[in-house]
Amino acid sequence: MTAQLIAPSIPDRVQQQRIFFNTGQTKAVEFRLEQLKRLKQAIIDRQDAILQAAQADLGRPAFEAYFEIATLAEINLALKQLKTWVKPQRVATTIEQFPASAWVQPEPLGVVLIIGPWNYPFQLMMSPLIGAIAAGNCALLKPSEHAPHTAQVIAELIQATFDPSYIAVVEGDASVSQQLLAEKFDHIFFTGGTNIGRIVMAAAAKHLTPVTLELGGKSPCIVDADVRLDYTAKRIIWGKLINAGQTCIAPDYLLVDRRIKSTLIEQMKQWIGVFYGDDPASSPDYGRIINAHHFDRLTSFLKDQTPIVGGQFDPATRYIAPTILDNVTWDDAIMQEEIFGPILPVLTYDDLNTAIAQINSRPKPLALYLFSTNEQTQKHVLQSTSSGGVCLNDTVMQVGVLGLPFGGVGESGMGSYHGKASFDVFSHPKSVLKRSLWFDLGWRYAPYKPERLKQIKRIVTG
């Protein structure tokens, strides 16, 4: 009779990783570099499997699926910069500390939990993992069950590459996530919707566990009259329709200067045709909705709307055509939650300040887009709005600049990552003061005579 291998329980898995972390192995910079190299090679070796999984889960064309593998750029940056990132940063000391030195040195947090989403299921799992490894942590990964093919690839990759006491994957549905969140971690990194983000934060609060929440929201796209319309329309349509609109920083809705609305809509319609042909359903470059639940949610937005472009859908293939809606009001159902699909509402404004006031009356978005060649308008929008990030005269491309920390604000998230920010989010900046024992100024010791009081006043007031 063959014995069955029983996977460790979640508490046991967490305990194994805590034991491994306490050995100190992960703190060595050379160890971290070696693990990053191993991860890089594992991704390179499985490129075809990753692309196939993204296609199976989301109908992604190979070109868009390659965005998942673009996380290799983050590994390359970490390999190049890690020895600089880990160096202690000197801090100046004041005369009353003499003789002394002070510095801040980053140290790993310990055992971290990373919960990934389904829309970019590989990239958005690997990207925070790179930061966790670079910072010297152990990590437990929970990929999304809604992208099962990618989850399987991730599980196989991690199992074949790392000791599970160091990095491991736990697969399963929401009940598994609940079990994970019941455990005490040193940090939780969650990417997903705002409602689930609240659940994660509430669970983390029970253990006083710090969290990074990469959420979403309704990212507005303002289009000023002072633009080059063909490029503007082209870039909006691309950013809205990659991954069939299932991108957390996709432009959620347009706020367009009334004077150019009709021309912009006509230009966007033309670009849809250029990108996907007369029948996007047959285009090899256009994706599908992840599952029936999200398909039904998206098509419900169309019940009370009359699309001016698109509007067709097919439940059997989870296809929703690139769709533009006009005559949308702020009170319509589609304006009450993040769309996360290939449907683009168009609202108009006559006065930019009114448009800004509408944006500011709603939860702060993950991204804000402005198309305008007027530098005063750009400056005004930057100063008058709050969002996780801003992109001027393009969409989505800001996520590709690794030097820009990526994250939300308010209901769109907390904390940021990418590049060095990924290292920072999984590190604790430990402050250190080192005093000398060869000399001791006596200003702080009792008895506190009147001249001592004068002395401390001078020190405090400068």
Side-chain angles (χ1 to χ4, degrees):
M1 184 174 180
T2 303
Q4 289 186 330
L5 294 176
I6 301 175
S9 67
I10 287 173
D12 287 344
R13 182 71 82 194
V14 175
Q15 181 61 19
Q16 286 175 359
Q17 293 205 343
R18 200 162 297 286
I19 291 170
F20 186 86
F21 177 77
N22 288 336
T23 67
Q25 291 184 58
T26 67
K27 295 182 179 181
V29 175
E30 291 304 324
F31 176 87
R32 306 183 204 182
L33 290 170
E34 178 59 30
Q35 306 315 307
L36 289 170
K37 292 174 183 176
R38 288 170 62 87
L39 179 60
K40 177 180 177 179
Q41 191 59 52
I43 294 172
I44 291 172
D45 291 344
R46 292 165 178 79
Q47 290 182 71
D48 290 343
I50 296 166
L51 298 182
Q52 291 167 9
Q55 202 285 328
D57 287 328
L58 289 148
R60 297 262 287 278
F63 183 88
E64 290 184 11
Y66 226 87
F67 295 165
E68 304 283 353
I69 299 171
T71 192
L72 289 172
E74 292 200 61
I75 300 179
N76 290 335
L77 180 65
L79 289 171
K80 182 178 180 180
Q81 296 292 333
L82 183 57
K83 289 184 178 180
T84 299
W85 294 346
V86 300
K87 287 181 179 179
Q89 300 298 309
R90 289 284 179 179
V91 176
T93 58
T94 50
I95 186 63
E96 64 270 14
Q97 300 282 0
F98 180 83
S101 58
W103 64 90
V104 177
Q105 63 184 56
E107 66 177 12
L109 297 174
V111 178
V112 304
L113 171 64
I114 301 173
I115 303 177
W118 52 259
N119 61 326
Y120 290 85
F122 188 84
Q123 177 192 7
L124 296 183
M125 182 62 76
M126 293 298 116
S127 186
L129 175 60
I130 293 164
I133 292 173
N137 300 278
C138 294
L140 201 56
L141 312 182
K142 167 58 176 70
S144 173
E145 70 274 21
H146 299 300
H149 298 87
T150 305
Q152 185 176 359
V153 170
I154 292 172
E156 188 278 327
L157 183 154
I158 296 298
Q159 184 177 7
T161 308
F162 301 110
D163 181 338
S165 297
Y166 171 50
I167 297 173
V169 172
V170 177
E171 295 184 81
D173 58 14
S175 65
V176 173
S177 295
Q178 291 172 354
Q179 294 176 53
L180 286 165
L181 291 171
E183 298 298 316
K184 179 175 176 57
F185 290 91
D186 297 295
H187 195 91
I188 296 174
F189 191 107
F190 170 79
T191 305
T194 300
N195 290 335
I196 305 300
R198 291 189 176 96
I199 295 173
V200 172
M201 191 170 183
K206 295 177 181 178
H207 299 291
L208 293 180
T209 299
V211 297
T212 300
L213 302 178
E214 296 297 340
L215 308 177
K218 296 187 74 63
S219 297
C221 181
I222 304 170
V223 185
D224 182 32
D226 192 2
V227 292
R228 177 169 172 171
L229 276 172
D230 55 346
Y231 284 0
T232 298
K234 185 180 187 179
R235 294 174 182 184
I236 290 172
I237 289 301
W238 177 80
K240 180 63 180 180
L241 297 181
I242 53 172
N243 202 26
Q246 299 165 113
T247 303
C248 61
I249 53 171
D252 192 89
Y253 63 94
L254 299 188
L255 266 172
V256 184
D257 187 304
R258 189 181 303 276
R259 293 170 293 175
I260 62 166
K261 183 188 77 170
S262 297
T263 308
L264 177 65
I265 289 175
E266 186 58 35
Q267 288 270 1
M268 291 192 297
K269 180 180 180 180
Q270 291 177 17
W271 283 112
I272 291 172
V274 171
F275 291 169
Y276 307 113
D278 295 334
D279 179 21
S282 62
S283 170
D285 299 321
Y286 187 70
R288 296 296 185 266
I289 306 305
I290 184 70
N291 56 35
H293 169 74
H294 286 283
F295 177 88
D296 292 342
R297 182 184 63 84
L298 288 167
T299 53
S300 71
F301 291 143
L302 302 177
K303 290 180 180 178
D304 299 321
Q305 301 286 343
T306 303
I308 56 174
V309 176
Q312 303 84 8
F313 54 87
D314 178 12
T317 59
R318 301 192 308 278
Y319 164 79
I320 298 178
T323 299
I324 299 175
L325 304 178
D326 196 6
N327 300 316
V328 176
T329 72
W330 290 101
D331 296 325
D332 288 344
I334 197 168
M335 294 303 297
Q336 307 312 308
E337 62 181 84
E338 184 178 8
I339 297 169
F340 223 65
I343 305 171
L344 183 62
V346 180
L347 296 93
T348 56
Y349 69 87
D350 297 297
D351 176 68
L352 180 59
N353 287 322
T354 301
I356 290 173
Q358 288 283 8
I359 293 170
N360 289 341
S361 68
R362 287 159 175 78
K364 296 177 181 180
L366 183 56
L368 184 145
Y369 300 104
L370 169 66
F371 284 84
S372 176
T373 57
N374 186 307
E375 292 192 4
Q376 286 302 116
T377 298
Q378 294 175 5
K379 183 177 180 180
H380 179 52
V381 171
L382 285 171
Q383 292 180 339
S384 303
T385 61
S386 178
S387 58
V390 175
C391 186
L392 303 174
N393 295 323
D394 210 336
T395 62
V396 179
M397 292 298 289
Q398 73 273 19
V399 76
V401 182
L402 294 181
L404 290 175
F406 177 81
V409 60
E411 291 188 26
S412 61
M414 61 180 65
S416 57
Y417 71 125
H418 285 184
K420 185 177 184 294
S422 294
F423 172 85
D424 291 339
V425 78
F426 289 107
S427 300
H428 167 62
K430 182 163 66 177
S431 299
V432 180
L433 173 67
K434 180 180 179 181
R435 298 295 313 280
S436 172
L437 290 173
W438 64 267
F439 185 75
D440 194 1
L441 293 172
W443 62 269
R444 60 192 168 118
Y445 303 116
Y448 302 124
K449 298 179 180 180
E451 60 268 24
R452 294 285 178 83
L453 179 59
K454 292 179 182 179
Q455 188 178 19
I456 193 66
K457 284 183 177 179
R458 287 195 300 271
I459 292 174
V460 172
T461 61

